[in-house]
Amino acid sequence: MLSAVFIYNQKGEVLISRLYRHDVKRSVADVFRVHVISSPTSVVRSPVTTLGSTSFYHIRYDNLWLCAVTKNNASAAMVFEFLYRLLGLGVSYFGRFDEESVKNNFVLIYELLDEVLDFGYPQNIEVDTLKLYVTTESVRSTRALQSDALATIPQSITMQATGTTAWRRNDIVYKKNEAFVDVIESVNLIMSAKGTVLRADVQGQIVMRSFLSGMPECKFGLNDKLVLDRDPASGAAASASASASASGSTQLGRRQGGMGGFGDGESVEIADCQFHQCVRLGRFDTDRTISFIPPDGEFELMRYRTTENVNLPFKVLPVVREMGKTRIEYEVLIKSNFSAKLSATNMAVTIPTPPNATKCRIKVTGAGAGKAKYHPEENAIVWRISRFQGLQELALTAVVDLAPMTKPTPWSRPPIALDFQVLMFTASGLLVRFLKVFEKSNYQSVKWVRYMTKAGSYEIRI
Amino acid sequence: MMNAAIQTNFARLQIVKQKVLAALRKGENYELKTELNSEYKERRKEAVRRVIANMTVGKDVSGLFTDVLKNMHTDDLEIKKLIYLYLINYAKTQPDLVILAVNTFVKDAEDTNPLIRALAIRTMGCLHVQEVLDHLTDPLRKCLKDPSPYVRKTAVMCVAKVYNLSPAVAEENGFVEDVRKALSDANPMVISNAVTVLTEINEIAPGQNVWRLDKSSVPVLLVAINECVEWGQIAILEALADYTPQGEKEAESICERLLPRLQHANGSVVLTTVRLLLKYEKYVHRADLLSQFTKKMVPPLITLLSSEPEIQYVALRNINIILQRHPKMLSKEIRVFFCKYNDPIYVKYEKLDVLVRICSERNTEPLLNELKEYAREVDVDFVHRAIQAIGRLAIRYESSAEKAVKLLIELLQLKVNNVVQDVVVVLRDVFRRYPQRFADVVPTLCEHIDFVNEPDAKAALIWILGEYSEHISNISSLMGASLESFLEEEDEGVQLALVNSAVKFFLKNPKQGQALVLKALQTATEKCANPDVRDRAYIYWRLLSADPNAARSVALVEMPPVELESASLSPALLEELITELGSVASVLQKPARLFVYKKADKAGVPRDTDMESAAGAESGDSNVGVSGGGIDTSNEGEPELLISF
């Protein structure tokens, strides 16, 4: 259990201090400041600092330090999960979570802290539920009027805050029942200078926005290899039924053109997945069915990871030659490796340069090759390409002049990093096969699915 | 005279300063006092906010206690919560005044709004004042049976607060019994809070046997866990992890029921489940089940590596422990531990440690290439560890030695100061493991002699010179140059190495070495201030003059190869940490009793002193073979290559 939670600003001034147990005094806030925040070594060597019998856990966000204190052998993993949840709560409540918003909303933050932890044990940190009864000023007044009129409202709130479906109210009504599914993949890569893939994996996230009435029972299907392999008949039947009802409104619509990246018949080997707490884990464990009653609005339904057969959207062939001590020559060739119908947007290629670089002559070739600029403050050439078509090749050549150094130290050659997003493409090949919604009132619902792949940490060594 | 005058003036100034400060302080509090008693609601509200703001930054606003209390009776929930917060902070300092607030609390605890009832009962418990306890018992008893589960779960938690303050009151009023009953509540959150409270009470009073999980209550928890919020799941998992199953069947069924928890999005649910599974391994004997458990654990553990860096760090520290129990578990997954360029440094250290630990002979090649990349990074300490790791692999797997030495020489040629020092030290260890095998790289090494400037590296290089003198063409001049700076060199390790190497060189090559060894021994015996170096030189001198053959058998003997295994935990500590996966202890890799003191020790002194005596006792009876203490002494005496924390 946590004994205290503190929020500091950059300088180490306490913005929020909440003690939960009597085994610590407020002065421990100073201990953390002295030992960690204003410690002369600028690099934090561990997020957990134990001094005597007191352990401090911290995370940093924007210009804030969030710190939890324990006196017992608490679960460090839980404390960090909690701190991140607290952070998410702040972001969700105030839009931004920084010194200013903490100072402006300190009353509300204290209310939240009182609610999410009791005697140092985490209680309920579901944003949606908390927003029902810990509200910001403007909402508060209208809510207060309501609760005067209807004394029963707090009753239902507290039922929800502790109930088995703590994440959902049971009285939601929508005129049009819709559900949006976004499959968002981050592809991570470490490639050696010679072009060997050292490590490639995909972190996927399925975000759902549900606008469904009542208490809908949802069933969700992916082209999961384990499901399709075990029971090919049911897989085929399911896809057949899906296509049979293509004209009906229950069909999974696609908001944008066809799936260009992959064939529909393939299955994906999912190495691991994690679910939102609404998903019945027992069901998934026995027959890999993803069934749940969704929270209202946006939430992360699941996270998954694949490591096999990753479709790398870009191939980078870098040649970096150090010509003596005064010049470096770059030739970077990038090839897109997805259907020509698709395109990547917001692409940025960061090509590191040595700290003593003085001048860069850069040339980019290819249709729509974008612009490349030398950013001395980042020690890098940043090449921005607004649209990168599928099956295309772009190249950059650059000559970088170096200033002579009094004490020559070799350049550590940090990797080239790519940033991009490709719509309607999944690096893992994952597809949503169906989303079924069952509700007592048996309404029709419309479902949409979108796919996007973006760069996680996409590094090519040089 | 002057001085005295200055001093009196200074003293006066000090007094004035204090007065001014006091007035200022009084000023603000005085103003707040007026505001708190204002007739306008809004102004009072603002004043309460300011009081809390001052309290947050650490100003003393305890003087406003009665004025704040006056505002307590209000319908405004925000003001109420702020005043409650104020009370929690200052109740302890003003126990007599708190009583004034009790009436409002008791009244609130009967409010129609469950949120207010819960708030009242929650805050009352937090006051931690003996005087309030008597007034708390009645409302608490009611709230424990409240129709609203929200109030009940808060009331259950309040019992822990009461028990902390006075176990007697909690027992006499039957609160503990009520909590035990709450285990069969219809609401999952009430159940999980009850589990939390009972676990805490057990910790406070371990002898009392307040609560023990038994065969009948386990199934209830196994059902409840499916409906709990994540934090409640953790509480239940922890309770189950501490339970001793009655027989194999029960253990198997518990594990199988809990396996799905590995798919939870919350990393601590995953880690606690892993901890339970590992702990239950000793109760489950079916090999197929055990291997299924291990197989199921791997993917979620790896997924933790894509969470936030702090959680990654905790996960990696724990993976490090788990690997000592199941060394083969992750050997196929080596690539996921490759460091990203932007990983925080503490994550990189842990990944490196895991990489070396799980590396098998098959995948040394890719790992060595990877380590070479790391050795070129900026962080000096990380580079140091990467180079050490290369050495460790070379020593562990003979087949990789060739490649490792090649990499090390490549790194040497980068001529980066800290890299050169580390490489030389590591090369010495590799050479000791494979005598004479890498003689051909020694000349290249000697080309970089001018870059070697750290004592450790120097000593290592001089040892290599002595060992491989026959392969170095300009050996006399190199050794001569080193001897020139013998006295300037303050480090005794370097001086000893010089004496040793000079003797070895002479024994191998008497003609060339004669002058050199004479000079070395003379300088060491006559001019050196360090007694150890002098003694060593005298011994050699006498040996050489009395019996060169004896000297040969002393100086030219082959040294035992260096063992460079990863620092491992002692079996007892490992066993302890496995049962505490995810905890602070697992992160520090130290037993919990070193940094947690029990409530039972009323003295309130952290048991650091105990720890020292325990450690002493351990090394004392180490011949018994039972390491009772937690500190790992098994690696003592060996060069500590990886400082794992």
Side-chain angles (χ1 to χ4, degrees):
Chain A
M1 67 279 194
L2 287 74
S3 295
V5 172
F6 299 111
I7 301 179
Y8 302 84
N9 66 6
Q10 189 107 39
K11 282 182 275 178
E13 289 161 358
V14 180
L15 302 178
I16 295 288
S17 109
R18 177 69 162 96
L19 306 184
Y20 289 96
R21 298 179 75 95
H22 293 269
D23 49 5
V24 292
K25 292 203 184 84
R26 197 197 165 278
S27 53
V28 292
D30 302 328
V31 176
F32 179 74
R33 182 182 56 237
V34 170
H35 282 269
V36 182
I37 300 183
S38 13
S39 141
T41 50
S42 58
V43 186
V44 174
R45 296 276 153 170
S46 164
V48 185
T49 314
T50 301
L51 301 164
S53 62
T54 314
S55 301
F56 299 90
Y57 312 74
H58 74 268
I59 62 173
R60 301 195 59 179
Y61 182 78
D62 208 304
N63 48 12
L64 298 177
W65 295 73
L66 274 70
C67 171
V69 184
T70 68
K71 294 287 273 187
N72 67 339
N73 188 17
S75 162
M78 187 193 82
V79 176
F80 283 121
E81 287 281 357
F82 171 78
L83 285 176
Y84 273 101
R85 226 39 100 67
L86 193 63
L87 185 65
L89 205 58
V91 173
S92 163
Y93 260 89
F94 315 123
R96 281 171 60 205
F97 201 51
D98 53 13
E99 181 172 354
E100 205 190 329
S101 70
V102 170
K103 276 185 171 162
N104 291 340
N105 296 292
F106 79 96
V107 173
L108 189 59
I109 293 177
Y110 276 126
E111 280 187 43
L112 287 172
L113 282 174
D114 197 39
E115 202 59 48
V116 294
L117 282 175
D118 190 5
F119 209 36
Y121 294 103
Q123 300 291 305
N124 186 3
I125 318 185
E126 289 303 307
V127 179
D128 294 333
T129 318
L130 283 171
K131 275 189 175 166
L132 291 176
Y133 60 102
V134 184
T135 45
T136 43
E137 210 78 45
S138 54
V139 191
R140 191 193 302 275
S141 48
T142 56
R143 180 73 59 181
L145 285 175
Q146 282 179 5
S147 62
D148 282 344
L150 292 161
T152 49
I153 279 189
Q155 224 83 32
S156 70
I157 291 174
T158 55
M159 282 306 282
Q160 197 201 328
T162 56
T164 48
T165 45
W167 52 86
R168 190 179 177 94
R169 288 184 290 148
N170 55 8
D171 55 350
I172 301 167
V173 181
Y174 285 101
K175 228 178 221 166
K176 193 176 173 196
N177 289 293
E178 283 184 301
F180 299 91
V181 177
D182 283 344
V183 179
I184 304 163
E185 297 198 333
S186 301
V187 49
N188 297 308
L189 170 77
I190 301 179
M191 191 184 267
S192 77
K194 289 183 192 118
T196 338
V197 176
L198 297 175
R199 173 187 166 187
D201 57 66
V202 174
Q203 309 287 342
Q205 196 191 12
I206 296 183
V207 177
M208 190 166 159
R209 278 171 301 148
S210 74
F211 306 103
L212 300 167
S213 313
M215 294 300 256
E217 264 292 335
C218 296
K219 253 177 101 177
F220 186 66
L222 299 167
N223 58 340
D224 178 357
K225 192 159 189 278
L226 280 180
V227 175
L228 297 182
D229 281 3
R230 191 187 44 207
D231 197 357
S234 86
S239 53
S241 72
S243 53
S245 60
S247 50
S249 59
T250 46
Q251 162 68 357
L252 284 176
R254 282 183 191 144
R255 213 179 287 177
Q256 292 196 11
M259 303 289 298
F262 34 81
D264 280 29
E266 282 164 32
S267 60
V268 170
E269 204 174 324
I270 296 173
D272 186 33
C273 42
Q274 265 80 38
F275 295 102
H276 184 269
Q277 56 170 325
C278 68
V279 176
R280 297 183 186 89
L281 297 177
R283 275 296 290 285
F284 181 76
D285 197 58
T286 44
D287 57 6
R288 283 184 91 86
T289 314
I290 304 168
S291 70
F292 55 97
I293 296 175
D296 193 41
E298 184 171 321
F299 69 104
E300 187 190 78
L301 175 65
M302 69 180 280
R303 265 184 271 158
Y304 59 90
R305 190 166 54 81
T306 69
T307 47
E308 301 293 319
N309 302 323
V310 176
N311 308 316
L312 294 173
F314 290 100
K315 237 188 136 116
V316 181
L317 304 166
V319 180
V320 180
R321 280 185 296 259
E322 291 179 54
M323 316 295 279
K325 286 189 168 33
T326 56
R327 204 151 57 99
I328 300 187
E329 291 180 5
Y330 294 83
E331 284 168 35
V332 181
L333 181 70
I334 304 185
K335 289 183 191 173
S336 55
N337 194 25
F338 45 84
S339 155
K341 281 186 241 160
L342 305 176
S343 63
T345 50
N346 298 333
M347 179 140 168
V349 184
T350 310
I351 304 163
T353 54
N356 59 332
T358 51
K359 209 167 74 190
C360 294
R361 276 154 294 166
I362 313 163
K363 210 177 110 204
V364 288
T365 45
K371 277 195 177 129
K373 225 179 126 193
Y374 171 52
H375 291 256
E377 71 286 356
E378 289 172 45
N379 284 324
I381 297 169
V382 180
W383 179 14
R384 293 187 187 281
I385 304 153
S386 54
R387 180 173 292 272
F388 200 127
Q389 216 58 43
L391 298 177
Q392 198 192 356
E393 257 186 51
L394 294 180
L396 172 144
T397 51
V399 178
V400 175
D401 292 336
L402 305 178
M405 285 194 291
T406 44
K407 211 177 136 217
T409 43
W411 177 39
S412 66
R413 296 172 81 111
I416 293 179
L418 259 63
D419 194 21
F420 53 81
Q421 52 185 52
V422 190
L423 285 176
M424 301 317 283
F425 172 82
T426 51
S428 64
L430 183 109
L431 277 173
V432 176
R433 279 177 46 235
F434 59 84
L435 170 64
K436 294 178 191 158
V437 179
F438 308 95
E439 219 274 335
K440 282 198 299 261
S441 61
N442 220 356
Y443 55 71
Q444 295 279 305
S445 52
V446 190
K447 292 143 244 168
W448 304 91
V449 63
R450 271 194 305 185
Y451 301 89
M452 182 178 61
T453 291
K454 55 182 185 180
S457 120
Y458 208 86
E459 294 177 353
I460 295 97
R461 290 181 181 157
I462 53 176
Chain B
M1 275 297 279
M2 277 288 277
N3 269 348
I6 290 172
Q7 267 175 10
T8 22
N9 274 335
F10 189 71
R12 265 187 215 139
L13 266 177
Q14 285 289 329
I15 294 166
V16 171
K17 186 179 151 201
Q18 270 169 17
K19 273 187 184 162
V20 170
L21 279 178
L24 274 178
R25 233 178 270 134
K26 190 181 162 196
E28 186 169 15
N29 275 357
Y30 183 75
E31 192 192 323
L32 282 173
K33 202 182 175 91
T34 339
E35 291 288 302
L36 283 170
N37 291 310
S38 162
E39 53 188 311
Y40 301 107
K41 202 179 155 192
E42 273 310 308
R43 290 179 73 169
R44 293 203 301 269
K45 189 167 173 175
E46 191 49 40
V48 172
R49 281 208 196 115
R50 273 174 60 197
V51 169
I52 301 298
N54 282 349
M55 190 177 85
T56 300
V57 295
K59 287 183 195 155
D60 183 17
V61 282
S62 60
L64 299 167
F65 204 90
T66 40
D67 304 288
V68 173
L69 272 194
K70 280 181 199 156
N71 290 289
M72 192 172 163
H73 194 72
T74 168
D75 292 332
D76 189 324
L77 206 57
E78 179 187 332
I79 294 294
K80 198 177 261 295
K81 284 181 178 171
L82 286 180
I83 294 176
Y84 282 4
L85 189 66
Y86 179 89
L87 285 178
I88 293 171
N89 258 301
Y90 290 114
K92 247 180 144 177
T93 54
Q94 321 249 355
D96 348 322
L97 290 175
V98 175
I99 297 300
L100 300 174
V102 161
N103 269 336
T104 320
F105 278 121
V106 174
K107 205 164 140 269
D108 277 357
E110 308 211 331
D111 199 282
T112 49
N113 185 338
L115 287 171
I116 295 188
R117 292 203 295 277
L119 181 66
I121 211 78
R122 183 166 65 217
T123 314
M124 254 177 127
C126 290
L127 295 179
H128 208 73
V129 177
Q130 204 81 37
E131 285 83 350
V132 177
L133 266 189
D134 306 333
H135 304 272
L136 176 62
T137 47
D138 282 336
L140 180 56
R141 193 172 298 120
K142 269 184 219 152
C143 285
L144 279 166
K145 298 188 171 62
D146 198 280
S148 163
Y150 183 78
V151 178
R152 287 205 302 278
K153 69 110 183 160
T154 313
V156 164
M157 196 49 92
C158 190
V159 173
K161 299 171 188 171
V162 173
Y163 200 94
N164 255 289
L165 198 55
S166 161
V169 172
E171 289 284 1
E172 281 161 21
N173 287 284
F175 291 149
V176 179
E177 184 53 38
D178 285 337
V179 176
R180 248 177 263 144
K181 278 187 202 140
L183 284 175
S184 43
D185 197 285
N187 186 288
M189 198 144 175
V190 178
I191 299 180
S192 65
N193 270 4
V195 171
T196 307
V197 169
L198 290 171
T199 313
E200 175 158 349
I201 292 178
N202 267 342
E203 264 172 39
I204 299 171
Q208 302 277 327
N209 240 337
V210 175
W211 177 58
R212 269 181 82 173
L213 259 182
D214 53 40
K215 213 168 175 175
S216 60
S217 47
V218 167
V220 182
L221 293 188
L222 286 175
V223 171
I225 199 169
N226 292 318
E227 299 179 338
C228 280
V229 295
E230 47 207 323
W231 318 106
Q233 298 190 8
I234 297 172
I236 294 180
L237 281 170
E238 282 179 346
L240 285 172
D242 292 335
Y243 167 68
T244 314
Q246 315 292 309
E248 207 174 325
K249 273 275 159 290
E250 194 189 5
E252 283 172 13
S253 86
I254 292 177
C255 288
E256 279 175 340
R257 291 283 290 276
L258 293 176
L259 274 180
R261 294 299 121 202
L262 290 171
Q263 247 66 50
H264 203 285
N266 185 320
S268 55
V269 174
V270 174
L271 269 180
T272 317
T273 312
V274 169
R275 155 177 156 190
L276 179 134
L277 290 174
L278 288 175
K279 211 173 162 187
Y280 274 38
E281 268 178 358
K282 59 173 178 264
Y283 308 121
V284 178
H285 302 291
R286 275 172 55 194
D288 58 322
L289 268 187
L290 283 175
S291 77
Q292 188 205 344
F293 293 167
T294 329
K295 222 186 269 167
K296 286 236 173 182
M297 269 184 251
V298 173
L301 279 176
I302 288 173
T303 301
L304 287 178
L305 297 183
S306 45
S307 35
E308 287 80 8
E310 290 82 5
I311 297 168
Q312 276 186 54
Y313 173 73
V314 175
L316 282 163
R317 295 288 289 179
N318 279 288
I319 286 173
N320 226 320
I321 297 172
I322 299 168
L323 282 172
Q324 298 185 35
R325 172 70 80 77
H326 293 286
K328 291 272 179 313
M329 193 158 126
L330 295 170
S331 48
K332 282 190 199 134
E333 310 282 349
I334 191 157
R335 282 167 193 269
V336 289
F337 294 98
F338 283 5
C339 299
K340 293 178 188 160
Y341 190 74
N342 291 326
D343 277 337
I345 195 70
Y346 49 81
V347 168
K348 283 188 177 177
Y349 287 173
E350 296 307 317
K351 281 188 175 172
L352 190 59
D353 222 19
V354 171
L355 278 173
V356 175
R357 203 179 278 284
I358 62 180
C359 181
S360 64
E361 188 150 13
R362 236 169 354 101
N363 43 29
T364 42
E365 171 106 20
L367 182 55
L368 281 172
N369 285 328
E370 191 67 16
L371 291 171
K372 189 189 158 197
E373 292 288 332
Y374 301 161
R376 289 171 29 180
E377 283 196 21
V378 186
D379 188 281
V380 174
D381 207 9
F382 184 60
V383 169
H384 171 76
R385 290 172 189 224
I387 295 173
Q388 295 285 6
I390 296 179
R392 200 173 288 177
L393 291 180
I395 288 168
R396 196 192 306 162
Y397 301 115
E398 195 169 350
S399 58
S400 69
E402 197 91 30
K403 166 101 185 166
V405 170
K406 198 174 138 241
L407 285 185
L408 288 170
I409 293 294
E410 280 171 34
L411 288 172
L412 193 69
Q413 283 159 346
L414 292 176
K415 297 184 180 156
V416 181
N417 188 31
N418 61 308
V419 174
V420 171
Q421 317 307 323
D422 290 333
V423 165
V424 171
V425 174
V426 168
L427 274 177
R428 186 232 3 235
D429 295 337
V430 176
F431 287 179
R432 264 180 72 170
R433 170 76 171 75
Y434 307 107
Q436 299 303 324
R437 188 164 145 195
F438 297 106
D440 50 331
V441 303
V442 174
T444 328
L445 185 59
C446 292
E447 286 165 21
H448 296 83
I449 200 159
D450 295 339
F451 294 92
V452 180
N453 47 29
E454 294 277 325
D456 276 355
K458 268 190 172 172
L461 184 72
I462 292 166
W463 180 85
I464 295 173
L465 290 182
E467 201 75 354
Y468 292 85
S469 54
E470 58 274 28
H471 297 276
I472 307 163
S473 49
N474 56 345
I475 176 77
S476 318
S477 65
L478 287 181
M479 294 276 278
S482 307
L483 267 178
E484 286 304 317
S485 57
F486 187 91
L487 287 173
E488 294 155 33
E489 192 60 60
E490 277 161 16
D491 188 82
E492 92 170 39
V494 180
Q495 292 180 337
L496 286 174
L498 260 174
V499 172
N500 285 358
S501 288
V503 171
K504 274 197 249 173
F505 176 49
F506 167 71
L507 288 170
K508 284 182 186 169
N509 195 338
K511 257 190 221 145
Q512 266 185 298
Q514 180 125 38
L516 205 68
V517 76
L518 202 66
K519 189 168 174 205
L521 294 179
Q522 247 166 9
T523 328
T525 48
E526 288 165 14
K527 293 186 187 144
C528 184
N530 187 314
D532 286 343
V533 178
R534 271 204 320 268
D535 281 357
R536 180 82 61 93
Y538 274 125
I539 291 169
Y540 275 130
W541 205 326
R542 281 185 200 150
L543 262 174
L544 287 173
S545 48
D547 182 357
N549 277 329
R552 206 175 292 270
S553 64
V554 170
L556 293 186
V557 73
E558 203 166 278
M559 284 163 94
V562 187
E563 294 288 335
L564 288 177
E565 272 318 307
S566 313
S568 297
L569 303 164
S570 67
L573 181 57
L574 179 61
E575 193 55 41
E576 189 179 337
L577 291 182
I578 285 275
T579 63
E580 283 172 357
L581 282 184
S583 67
V584 189
S586 75
V587 172
L588 302 179
Q589 304 194 344
K590 281 181 186 160
R593 64 195 149 73
L594 295 196
F595 58 91
V596 176
Y597 63 92
K598 290 260 159 54
K599 290 245 168 52
D601 310 345
K602 276 289 176 210
V605 187
R607 299 173 51 176
D608 296 18
T609 42
D610 287 13
M611 151 191 117
E612 267 152 35
S613 60
E618 184 200 354
S619 53
D621 55 25
S622 60
N623 51 343
V624 188
V626 186
S627 60
I631 296 175
D632 189 32
T633 49
S634 60
N635 280 60
E636 235 168 61
E638 281 182 20
E640 193 173 306
L641 292 160
L642 259 185
I643 306 139
S644 52
F645 195 69

